[in-house]
Amino acid sequence: MSVVAAPEGQIWVGTLGAGLRILDAGSVLPKLLVARKAPLALATVRSVHLDRRGDLWLGTNRQVFWVSRQDRLRAQNLAAHPLPQACRDIHDLRLDTFGRLWVGTDYGLYLWQAGTVTGTTPPVQLTKPTLFLPVGGDPFSLQSERVHQLFEDQDQVLWMAASAGGLNKVDLRQKPFGQLQHQLTAKATLPNNYVNAVYKEEAKNLLWIGTRNGFSCYDLTHKTYHNYLSWQQSSDSTGVDVSSVVQASDGTLWLGTRTHGLYTLKRQNGREKLTPFAALSNQPDQVTTSVETIVEDRFGTMWVGTFNAGLARFSRSGKHLRTYSVSTGLPTDHFTYLLYDQKHNLLWASTRDAGLLKLRVTADSLILLKQFTHDERNSNSLSVNYVWPLLQDRQGTLWIGTIGGGLHQLRTDSQGREHMQRCSQWLPESDVESLLIDEDGHLWIGGTGLYCVTPSTHRYLRYDVADGLQSNAFKVGAACRAQDGTLYFGASTALATFSRVLSGLTPTHPLCALQAFEWPTKQWPLATLLTGACC
């Protein structure tokens, strides 16, 4: 038996063999409750659900029926809108906060996607629903095909009683993550699933992806790949390990690698020219070691950060200008990430062993303004000296990711004083490997999984493989945000994508289903409703 109470005072009761019944309780329970038979020519109604809009959903032995709020109030046309797909032996159904219909049966869990709300037709997509069944050895699948009860809690988690499979749950807030991944196919595909870098070329709707087996140009319009510097035999084959991709203001693509120095890719009149760095410069101190990061400054020069050979500067034509290192007065040769602040003409440089450097760029020099390092006596210093991704938000706050020390933020007050703050007290991730910000101001952090953080409240959601991600390992610096709001994160097994950012982190409260009647001096056993009256 299934029972729901409507706010207008009606109580709807689904029974096995006595059809659908209605109790007109009103605002005060009378001494005698009479359950009249609803105008529905079905002997068995296994499940009754009242959604947030006031629509009624009925589950029978073989089908789901939708009843609009208007028809429910009039108790008419109860069977006018059956969903076209059959579902055998329905036990329970729920319309979740996001408008999706979940139906538990003896033969699996069905899901209809949200549709258009008209008030005259079922507000779900009437295409074939998704059927979820147990998958042997998969801990993230249903643990039993028999789903006999559904409940959504205040945190938007759907709980499922799955018979011998115990209690299962689905986080309804999880995002519809997409992915780009190497495929075993005759067509060109992503050359390797280990993604090091990603860059969106907006003008041509192209996605440039650096991997351990060369780099790829993915045409987002036609969904086709064109690969460079890669071995095509297998995703396990290793071509050139491409670690960074950036486009200069003249349209030239600059590509850094971990074993083959620099490349540039120029395109003109429909022709491409891929040039290794050795052909651009014969200077004795040219960069030939691991290139981790590349940025362009306001003077039209390119800065190349290397993991063990300092910080190099080039003209856009590829001429090497100078390398800055320990020998020229910098505190380290080991650079991991560069962020150029165009407004203030500042170059922020992350390092492997010397913390964060604040540098001033001129047309022909580089000036070290300040160094931020770990100080064990100062809780407002960096937690560690191994710094990697950097992000500056609209308020000018600099967000700093470290390896082993978590997230930090650097604020500048109205007097120009800088204040470092550790975020480890409210964000548990110690390895912050990539940082993005969405259009609503949420921080997205790649580490062991993906975090969506609201900076003003310190609240966060964490996503992992259970939410549709292919991996929990996100790689350092491999992230970008497109102009349309799509976020891209490189991982060790794929490129994760999603097209809509999270619009809010405030859960709504679920409706309560009636479970029993109680009165100060009396109780009414629900089983007696089968007879049509209780007292």
Side-chain angles (χ1 to χ4, degrees):
M1 178 165 48
S2 178
V3 181
V4 294
E8 298 83 9
Q10 289 179 329
I11 299 169
W12 295 78
V13 184
T15 72
L16 301 178
L20 180 66
R21 295 185 173 271
I22 307 172
L23 289 166
D24 297 302
S27 59
V28 179
L29 284 176
K31 292 183 178 180
L32 181 66
L33 285 174
V34 178
R36 59 187 171 92
K37 185 171 175 53
L40 181 68
L42 294 170
T44 296
V45 177
R46 289 174 167 265
S47 181
V48 184
H49 170 58
L50 188 70
D51 68 25
R52 287 172 172 78
R53 288 186 287 268
D55 297 342
L56 193 67
W57 297 84
L58 307 174
T60 69
N61 280 335
R62 300 191 61 83
Q63 208 158 20
V64 175
F65 292 84
W66 171 78
V67 182
S68 70
R69 180 179 183 275
Q70 183 177 4
D71 285 343
R72 173 181 63 80
L73 292 174
R74 299 174 180 175
Q76 65 181 18
N77 301 323
L78 302 183
H81 299 286
L83 299 193
Q85 299 84 6
C87 296
R88 292 177 55 195
D89 296 342
I90 295 171
H91 283 287
D92 202 4
L93 43 77
R94 285 291 182 276
L95 195 76
D96 70 24
T97 300
F98 302 97
R100 298 167 295 196
L101 180 66
W102 300 81
V103 179
T105 76
D106 273 342
Y107 304 98
L109 178 69
Y110 290 85
L111 171 63
W112 277 266
Q113 295 296 331
T116 303
V117 178
T118 65
T120 58
T121 57
V124 294
Q125 297 179 25
L126 298 182
T127 54
K128 186 178 180 180
T130 303
L131 174 61
F132 297 95
L133 293 168
V135 177
D138 184 358
F140 299 109
S141 71
L142 277 175
Q143 299 303 296
S144 171
E145 66 180 9
R146 185 173 185 267
V147 179
H148 55 86
Q149 194 166 6
L150 302 167
F151 175 73
E152 181 184 349
D153 68 19
Q154 64 181 4
D155 294 318
Q156 296 171 332
V157 173
L158 185 71
W159 295 88
M160 297 167 284
S163 192
L167 192 62
N168 294 213
K169 70 174 183 177
V170 175
D171 187 345
L172 299 176
R173 300 164 300 181
Q174 61 183 308
K175 300 304 293 178
F177 293 104
Q179 64 187 32
L180 298 177
Q181 198 172 34
H182 176 81
Q183 304 290 334
L184 296 176
T185 175
K187 296 181 180 180
T189 181
L190 191 67
N192 189 275
N193 285 332
Y194 200 111
V195 176
N196 298 318
V198 57
Y199 171 79
K200 173 75 180 296
E201 186 178 0
E202 296 290 351
K204 298 183 178 180
N205 202 31
L206 301 176
L207 198 64
W208 295 90
I209 307 167
T211 79
R212 284 191 171 180
N213 185 24
F215 68 101
S216 183
C217 175
Y218 180 66
D219 188 320
L220 289 161
T221 301
H222 300 98
K223 303 188 185 307
T224 56
Y225 293 89
H226 183 65
N227 296 330
Y228 308 78
L229 303 177
S230 61
W231 296 101
Q232 299 299 325
Q233 293 87 344
S234 167
S235 65
D236 295 328
S237 299
T238 302
V240 175
D241 193 353
V242 177
S243 52
S244 54
V245 182
V246 71
Q247 188 174 31
S249 55
D250 64 356
T252 301
L253 282 167
W254 287 66
L255 303 117
T257 77
R258 294 207 166 104
T259 54
H260 293 73
L262 280 169
Y263 285 80
T264 60
L265 180 64
K266 294 187 177 183
R267 295 158 294 172
Q268 189 172 10
N269 299 324
R271 302 182 65 181
E272 295 182 334
K273 184 179 180 181
L274 182 64
T275 308
F277 182 73
L280 298 177
S281 171
N282 57 6
Q283 297 294 325
D285 57 352
Q286 63 177 303
V287 177
T288 57
T289 54
S290 177
V291 176
E292 296 296 334
T293 179
I294 307 170
V295 297
E296 183 179 11
D297 64 23
R298 64 165 60 170
F299 304 100
T301 56
M302 309 299 294
W303 292 90
V304 177
T306 74
F307 205 62
N308 56 4
L311 187 60
R313 191 177 193 179
F314 299 87
S315 68
R316 277 190 314 210
S317 63
K319 180 182 178 181
H320 178 261
L321 302 175
R322 187 176 179 183
T323 294
Y324 298 86
S325 61
V326 171
S327 63
T328 62
L330 291 183
T332 183
D333 290 338
H334 310 295
F335 291 87
T336 57
Y337 196 90
L338 298 175
L339 174 68
Y340 182 67
D341 181 347
Q342 178 87 12
K343 180 179 179 180
H344 300 99
N345 189 31
L346 293 174
L347 183 64
W348 295 92
S350 299
T351 75
R352 185 183 69 182
D353 55 2
L356 177 67
L357 307 184
K358 180 182 180 181
L359 304 158
R360 173 78 67 197
V361 177
T362 71
D364 57 3
S365 67
L366 183 68
I367 304 168
L368 177 61
L369 299 178
K370 192 171 183 179
Q371 180 181 7
F372 299 86
T373 60
H374 169 65
D375 182 352
E376 61 183 13
R377 298 163 299 179
N378 183 4
S379 61
N380 292 320
S381 67
L382 288 172
S383 298
V384 295
N385 284 326
Y386 198 162
V387 180
W388 208 297
L390 303 172
L391 172 74
Q392 194 168 41
D393 65 22
R394 289 188 289 265
Q395 290 72 41
T397 298
L398 186 68
W399 296 91
I400 305 161
T402 69
I403 307 301
L407 183 68
H408 300 68
Q409 61 181 150
L410 183 65
R411 297 178 182 272
T412 303
D413 63 24
S414 57
Q415 283 75 42
R417 294 171 298 192
E418 293 165 327
H419 305 275
M420 181 75 69
Q421 183 178 358
R422 301 173 183 177
C423 304
S424 55
Q425 68 271 23
W426 52 267
L427 186 70
E429 180 60 61
S430 60
D431 291 339
V432 176
E433 304 199 39
S434 49
L435 278 169
L436 292 177
I437 191 166
D438 66 28
E439 59 192 16
D440 293 322
H442 297 116
L443 288 176
W444 288 83
I445 297 170
T448 53
L450 275 178
Y451 293 81
C452 177
V453 179
T454 304
S456 60
T457 63
H458 296 171
R459 296 183 66 190
Y460 67 86
L461 295 174
R462 181 180 178 273
Y463 302 99
D464 56 23
V465 292
D467 301 295
L469 294 173
Q470 283 299 110
S471 173
N472 287 340
F474 288 85
K475 308 321 297 174
V476 284
C480 82
R481 174 187 166 186
Q483 287 181 1
D484 64 1
T486 302
L487 306 182
Y488 298 92
F489 283 90
S492 59
T493 59
L495 179 70
T497 73
F498 47 97
S499 299
R500 291 188 305 163
V501 296
L502 200 63
S503 59
L505 300 179
T506 304
T508 58
H509 294 281
L511 289 176
C512 295
L514 179 64
Q515 302 295 327
F517 287 101
E518 289 190 5
W519 203 248
T521 58
K522 291 187 179 182
Q523 289 185 334
W524 286 271
L526 293 182
T528 60
L529 294 175
L530 287 172
T531 65
C534 65
C535 59

